[in-house]
Amino acid sequence: MPLPRPLRLALISLLLLAGLLLSAYWAGEQARHRALLAEAEAAHEQLGLYANSLHTLIERFRSIPAVLALDPDLRSALQGPVTGERQHRLNLKLQQINAAARSSTLEVLDRDGLAVAASNWDLPTSYVGHNYSFRPYFRQTIAQGAGRFYAVGVTTGIPGYFLSNAVRDDAGNFLGAIVVKLEFPDLERQWSQTPDVVLVSDSKGIVFLANHPRWRYRELLPLDAVARAELRDTRQYHQHPLSALSHQTLQRLGDNARMTRVEGQEIGGDYLWQSVELPEDDWTLHLLRDAGSLQNDVTSARLAAAGAWLALVFLVLWLHQRRRLARLRQRNQEELEQLVEQRTAALRTAQDGLVQAAKLAALGQMSAALAHEINQPLTAQRMQLASVRLLLDAGRQDDARSALLRVDELLERMAALTGHLKTFARKTPGGLRERIELGHVLDQALHLLAVRIRDERVEVVRQLDEPAWVLGDAIRLEQVLVNLLRNALDALAGIEHPQITLSLRREGDHWCLDVADNGPGIDEANLASVFDPFFTTKPVGEGLGLGLAVSYGIVHELGGRLGAANQPSGGALFHLSLPAAPEEIRA
């Protein structure tokens, strides 16, 4: 039996509310966990900086006792009673060294642990005359030659880090110890600028260094009777009372990171607790970051999850409403689909027309290029046949037969030319690449135009010093040179002393050929367009404007460059550059 509509709506509302609360809670916990991991990583990096600053400060003074232990004056003074004038000189020397080294204090202990000289000899808290044989660093010095110990000064009441080194005579006998004391007020003041809590604890878990005074002299670990007896004997923290720090771990975030709850009236709260060991001094550096700052991220995540849940609910409602409206709009949808099909068919018809037009344009360009390039060998054949007739009339059959061989070569060249032009028009990948001599190809091109050059009385100046070996297609490269020479000949029409200069030279790993004439040159407005297809300045019927465009494409395909310019002295200059053959590059 289906539920009544009001009850069904109430059940759906309860499910939506439960989903809203669960999604908000889950998102908040996930955000808290991610934020804790990010904060733990940041705290670890910050803790590394604090550890480096503390290590650097201690390392600055760690070698001072060992160096001073070698001082001959100090060793000489400890070999006898340190009194009177000898003691006064030693006090002054320690005072000067302490000021230069910027340490807290320096003191000299004899073999019994009695301070016989100190840098603070002239102060009410002077170490001179006090016996420090009970300090662990003195016993370590006797046994190991060096010692270190952090403690509260029994004379001054100021805590510090004591570093000591044994003073021995030439025979290795123990004479006493030199002790340097370091205090960390500047370091604690620097650490106090951060809102985090920074602590340093000793091997017993007692906090002796902190950037906030209320955290100092706290017991992080319970002390047994042996540890308390040792503290009394060494008077490490003297008259400062120790108090336990009540804390419990809430969540582990890694090897050295955890969420910890600290109990206390002034210091209580939840902290992200990060620790790092300082093995050289048997200390532990701690950083406590208040976890309350993470609540904003958690709240934002919960609000975002609630918003996403509501958006999902509204999306479901919208989809439901859309399904209801779909039936009403189905008829309009069918009409729209029919209209789209009609427009698509019309678009396809127009597209087919454009493709056909593009094919016809490409076919026309290929035909025009073929007609343009084949005209040159035909002209040469007419000249050769005219020569054959003259030779036959003169009865020179052998010379005529030789001339007919040249005509046959031109016919073969025309066949190769049409093949190469079709290949170039199709833009087929690859192509013929053989090692050819550019000067020989230039001779072939000049031979094709020899009749016209002779008839028009054009002087050809050749500056070809050495063989120029390049990689390319001799037939196509010959067409390029023929086009350049024909343009030069066309430009020399009407010139009194026409001249074409051909210069070939090596520039780096390229061979460069310049084709220059002494004609009127190229109009500056046309320089940028001379290689465009169908661009020509010749009268109608005398040129198709494809010669330079085809030449430019051939040279570019061969990996070279083709450019045009005007000479300062007048006339046009075409610059052809082609890569040298690999054998010459290796040479």
Short mmCIF file of all heavy atoms in Angstrom, two decimals, residues 325-355:
data_model
loop_
_atom_site.label_atom_id
_atom_site.label_comp_id
_atom_site.label_asym_id
_atom_site.label_seq_id
_atom_site.Cartn_x
_atom_site.Cartn_y
_atom_site.Cartn_z
N LEU A 325 8.25 18.48 -18.80
CA LEU A 325 8.07 19.41 -19.92
C LEU A 325 8.50 18.80 -21.25
O LEU A 325 8.13 19.32 -22.30
CB LEU A 325 8.89 20.68 -19.65
CG LEU A 325 8.45 21.53 -18.46
CD1 LEU A 325 9.40 22.70 -18.25
CD2 LEU A 325 7.02 22.05 -18.66
N ALA A 326 9.33 17.72 -21.21
CA ALA A 326 9.84 17.14 -22.44
C ALA A 326 8.72 16.62 -23.33
O ALA A 326 8.79 16.72 -24.57
CB ALA A 326 10.82 16.02 -22.13
N ARG A 327 7.68 16.05 -22.70
CA ARG A 327 6.58 15.51 -23.50
C ARG A 327 5.85 16.61 -24.25
O ARG A 327 5.40 16.42 -25.39
CB ARG A 327 5.61 14.76 -22.59
CG ARG A 327 6.25 13.56 -21.88
CD ARG A 327 5.20 12.77 -21.12
NE ARG A 327 5.78 11.68 -20.35
CZ ARG A 327 6.15 11.78 -19.09
NH1 ARG A 327 5.96 12.92 -18.44
NH2 ARG A 327 6.69 10.74 -18.48
N LEU A 328 5.74 17.78 -23.58
CA LEU A 328 5.04 18.89 -24.23
C LEU A 328 5.85 19.49 -25.36
O LEU A 328 5.31 20.06 -26.31
CB LEU A 328 4.72 19.97 -23.18
CG LEU A 328 3.85 19.53 -22.00
CD1 LEU A 328 3.69 20.68 -21.00
CD2 LEU A 328 2.47 19.06 -22.49
N ARG A 329 7.19 19.38 -25.26
CA ARG A 329 8.02 20.03 -26.27
C ARG A 329 8.47 19.05 -27.36
O ARG A 329 9.24 19.42 -28.24
CB ARG A 329 9.27 20.60 -25.60
CG ARG A 329 8.94 21.69 -24.58
CD ARG A 329 10.10 21.95 -23.63
NE ARG A 329 11.34 22.22 -24.34
CZ ARG A 329 12.52 22.38 -23.74
NH1 ARG A 329 12.60 22.24 -22.43
NH2 ARG A 329 13.59 22.64 -24.45
N GLN A 330 7.99 17.83 -27.34
CA GLN A 330 8.47 16.83 -28.30
C GLN A 330 8.11 17.21 -29.74
O GLN A 330 8.91 17.04 -30.65
CB GLN A 330 7.87 15.46 -27.95
CG GLN A 330 8.41 14.32 -28.81
CD GLN A 330 7.91 12.97 -28.32
OE1 GLN A 330 7.13 12.90 -27.36
NE2 GLN A 330 8.35 11.91 -28.98
N ARG A 331 6.88 17.72 -29.93
CA ARG A 331 6.46 18.09 -31.28
C ARG A 331 7.35 19.19 -31.84
O ARG A 331 7.78 19.14 -33.00
CB ARG A 331 5.00 18.53 -31.26
CG ARG A 331 4.45 18.89 -32.65
CD ARG A 331 2.99 19.28 -32.56
NE ARG A 331 2.21 18.19 -31.98
CZ ARG A 331 0.91 18.29 -31.68
NH1 ARG A 331 0.27 19.44 -31.89
NH2 ARG A 331 0.26 17.27 -31.17
N ASN A 332 7.62 20.23 -31.02
CA ASN A 332 8.50 21.31 -31.48
C ASN A 332 9.91 20.79 -31.78
O ASN A 332 10.59 21.27 -32.70
CB ASN A 332 8.57 22.41 -30.43
CG ASN A 332 7.23 23.11 -30.25
OD1 ASN A 332 6.39 23.11 -31.17
ND2 ASN A 332 7.01 23.67 -29.08
N GLN A 333 10.34 19.81 -30.98
CA GLN A 333 11.67 19.24 -31.20
C GLN A 333 11.75 18.54 -32.54
O GLN A 333 12.74 18.64 -33.26
CB GLN A 333 12.00 18.26 -30.06
CG GLN A 333 13.41 17.70 -30.12
CD GLN A 333 14.46 18.76 -29.81
OE1 GLN A 333 14.16 19.76 -29.15
NE2 GLN A 333 15.67 18.55 -30.32
N GLU A 334 10.68 17.82 -32.91
CA GLU A 334 10.69 17.12 -34.20
C GLU A 334 10.73 18.11 -35.35
O GLU A 334 11.45 17.90 -36.34
CB GLU A 334 9.44 16.24 -34.30
CG GLU A 334 9.44 15.06 -33.34
CD GLU A 334 8.15 14.27 -33.40
OE1 GLU A 334 7.23 14.73 -34.12
OE2 GLU A 334 8.06 13.22 -32.74
N GLU A 335 9.98 19.22 -35.24
CA GLU A 335 10.02 20.24 -36.29
C GLU A 335 11.41 20.86 -36.39
O GLU A 335 11.90 21.14 -37.49
CB GLU A 335 8.97 21.31 -36.00
CG GLU A 335 7.53 20.80 -36.06
CD GLU A 335 6.54 21.87 -35.69
OE1 GLU A 335 7.01 22.99 -35.35
OE2 GLU A 335 5.33 21.61 -35.75
N LEU A 336 12.00 21.08 -35.23
CA LEU A 336 13.34 21.66 -35.24
C LEU A 336 14.35 20.72 -35.89
O LEU A 336 15.23 21.14 -36.64
CB LEU A 336 13.77 21.98 -33.80
CG LEU A 336 15.15 22.61 -33.62
CD1 LEU A 336 15.23 23.95 -34.36
CD2 LEU A 336 15.48 22.82 -32.14
N GLU A 337 14.22 19.41 -35.63
CA GLU A 337 15.13 18.45 -36.23
C GLU A 337 14.98 18.42 -37.75
O GLU A 337 15.96 18.31 -38.48
CB GLU A 337 14.88 17.06 -35.65
CG GLU A 337 15.32 16.91 -34.20
CD GLU A 337 14.98 15.55 -33.64
OE1 GLU A 337 14.33 14.77 -34.38
OE2 GLU A 337 15.35 15.26 -32.48
N GLN A 338 13.73 18.54 -38.23
CA GLN A 338 13.52 18.57 -39.67
C GLN A 338 14.18 19.80 -40.29
O GLN A 338 14.78 19.74 -41.35
CB GLN A 338 12.02 18.56 -39.98
CG GLN A 338 11.33 17.25 -39.61
CD GLN A 338 9.84 17.30 -39.86
OE1 GLN A 338 9.30 18.34 -40.30
NE2 GLN A 338 9.14 16.20 -39.59
N LEU A 339 14.04 20.93 -39.60
CA LEU A 339 14.66 22.16 -40.10
C LEU A 339 16.18 22.03 -40.13
O LEU A 339 16.84 22.47 -41.08
CB LEU A 339 14.23 23.34 -39.22
CG LEU A 339 14.78 24.72 -39.61
CD1 LEU A 339 14.34 25.09 -41.02
CD2 LEU A 339 14.34 25.77 -38.60
N VAL A 340 16.73 21.41 -39.09
CA VAL A 340 18.19 21.22 -39.05
C VAL A 340 18.65 20.33 -40.20
O VAL A 340 19.69 20.57 -40.82
CB VAL A 340 18.61 20.64 -37.69
CG1 VAL A 340 20.06 20.19 -37.71
CG2 VAL A 340 18.39 21.66 -36.59
N GLU A 341 17.89 19.27 -40.49
CA GLU A 341 18.25 18.38 -41.60
C GLU A 341 18.24 19.13 -42.93
O GLU A 341 19.12 18.94 -43.77
CB GLU A 341 17.28 17.20 -41.65
CG GLU A 341 17.46 16.22 -40.49
CD GLU A 341 16.45 15.08 -40.55
OE1 GLU A 341 15.63 15.11 -41.48
OE2 GLU A 341 16.51 14.20 -39.67
N GLN A 342 17.25 20.00 -43.12
CA GLN A 342 17.19 20.76 -44.36
C GLN A 342 18.38 21.71 -44.48
O GLN A 342 19.00 21.82 -45.54
CB GLN A 342 15.87 21.55 -44.42
CG GLN A 342 14.64 20.67 -44.51
CD GLN A 342 13.35 21.48 -44.40
OE1 GLN A 342 13.39 22.71 -44.28
NE2 GLN A 342 12.21 20.80 -44.46
N ARG A 343 18.69 22.40 -43.38
CA ARG A 343 19.83 23.33 -43.42
C ARG A 343 21.14 22.57 -43.62
O ARG A 343 22.05 23.04 -44.30
CB ARG A 343 19.88 24.13 -42.13
CG ARG A 343 18.68 25.04 -41.92
CD ARG A 343 18.66 26.16 -42.95
NE ARG A 343 17.48 26.97 -42.83
CZ ARG A 343 17.35 28.01 -41.99
NH1 ARG A 343 18.34 28.33 -41.19
NH2 ARG A 343 16.24 28.70 -41.96
N THR A 344 21.25 21.39 -43.02
CA THR A 344 22.47 20.59 -43.18
C THR A 344 22.66 20.16 -44.62
O THR A 344 23.77 20.19 -45.16
CB THR A 344 22.41 19.36 -42.25
OG1 THR A 344 22.25 19.78 -40.89
CG2 THR A 344 23.69 18.54 -42.37
N ALA A 345 21.56 19.76 -45.28
CA ALA A 345 21.66 19.36 -46.69
C ALA A 345 22.09 20.54 -47.55
O ALA A 345 22.93 20.39 -48.45
CB ALA A 345 20.31 18.81 -47.17
N ALA A 346 21.52 21.73 -47.28
CA ALA A 346 21.91 22.92 -48.04
C ALA A 346 23.39 23.25 -47.81
O ALA A 346 24.12 23.61 -48.74
CB ALA A 346 21.03 24.10 -47.64
N LEU A 347 23.84 23.13 -46.58
CA LEU A 347 25.24 23.42 -46.26
C LEU A 347 26.17 22.43 -46.96
O LEU A 347 27.23 22.80 -47.47
CB LEU A 347 25.44 23.36 -44.75
CG LEU A 347 26.86 23.64 -44.24
CD1 LEU A 347 27.31 25.03 -44.62
CD2 LEU A 347 26.93 23.46 -42.72
N ARG A 348 25.76 21.14 -47.00
CA ARG A 348 26.59 20.14 -47.66
C ARG A 348 26.70 20.43 -49.16
O ARG A 348 27.77 20.27 -49.76
CB ARG A 348 25.99 18.76 -47.42
CG ARG A 348 26.88 17.63 -47.94
CD ARG A 348 26.27 16.25 -47.63
NE ARG A 348 26.21 16.03 -46.19
CZ ARG A 348 25.10 16.00 -45.47
NH1 ARG A 348 23.92 16.20 -46.09
NH2 ARG A 348 25.12 15.78 -44.18
N THR A 349 25.60 20.87 -49.78
CA THR A 349 25.63 21.20 -51.20
C THR A 349 26.57 22.37 -51.47
O THR A 349 27.37 22.35 -52.41
CB THR A 349 24.21 21.55 -51.67
OG1 THR A 349 23.34 20.43 -51.43
CG2 THR A 349 24.20 21.88 -53.16
N ALA A 350 26.50 23.40 -50.60
CA ALA A 350 27.39 24.55 -50.78
C ALA A 350 28.85 24.16 -50.57
O ALA A 350 29.74 24.63 -51.29
CB ALA A 350 27.00 25.65 -49.79
N GLN A 351 29.09 23.28 -49.62
CA GLN A 351 30.46 22.84 -49.35
C GLN A 351 31.03 22.06 -50.54
O GLN A 351 32.19 22.24 -50.92
CB GLN A 351 30.49 21.98 -48.09
CG GLN A 351 31.89 21.56 -47.66
CD GLN A 351 31.87 20.76 -46.38
OE1 GLN A 351 30.80 20.42 -45.89
NE2 GLN A 351 33.03 20.46 -45.86
N ASP A 352 30.21 21.18 -51.15
CA ASP A 352 30.66 20.44 -52.32
C ASP A 352 31.01 21.39 -53.46
O ASP A 352 31.99 21.18 -54.20
CB ASP A 352 29.59 19.45 -52.77
CG ASP A 352 29.38 18.33 -51.75
OD1 ASP A 352 30.30 18.13 -50.92
OD2 ASP A 352 28.32 17.69 -51.77
N GLY A 353 30.24 22.45 -53.62
CA GLY A 353 30.53 23.43 -54.66
C GLY A 353 31.87 24.13 -54.43
O GLY A 353 32.64 24.36 -55.36
N LEU A 354 32.15 24.47 -53.16
CA LEU A 354 33.41 25.13 -52.85
C LEU A 354 34.60 24.20 -53.11
O LEU A 354 35.64 24.62 -53.62
CB LEU A 354 33.42 25.57 -51.39
CG LEU A 354 32.50 26.74 -51.05
CD1 LEU A 354 32.52 27.01 -49.55
CD2 LEU A 354 32.91 28.01 -51.81
N VAL A 355 34.45 22.92 -52.75
CA VAL A 355 35.52 21.96 -53.01
C VAL A 355 35.79 21.84 -54.50
O VAL A 355 36.94 21.81 -54.95
CB VAL A 355 35.17 20.60 -52.38
CG1 VAL A 355 36.17 19.53 -52.82
CG2 VAL A 355 35.14 20.71 -50.86
#
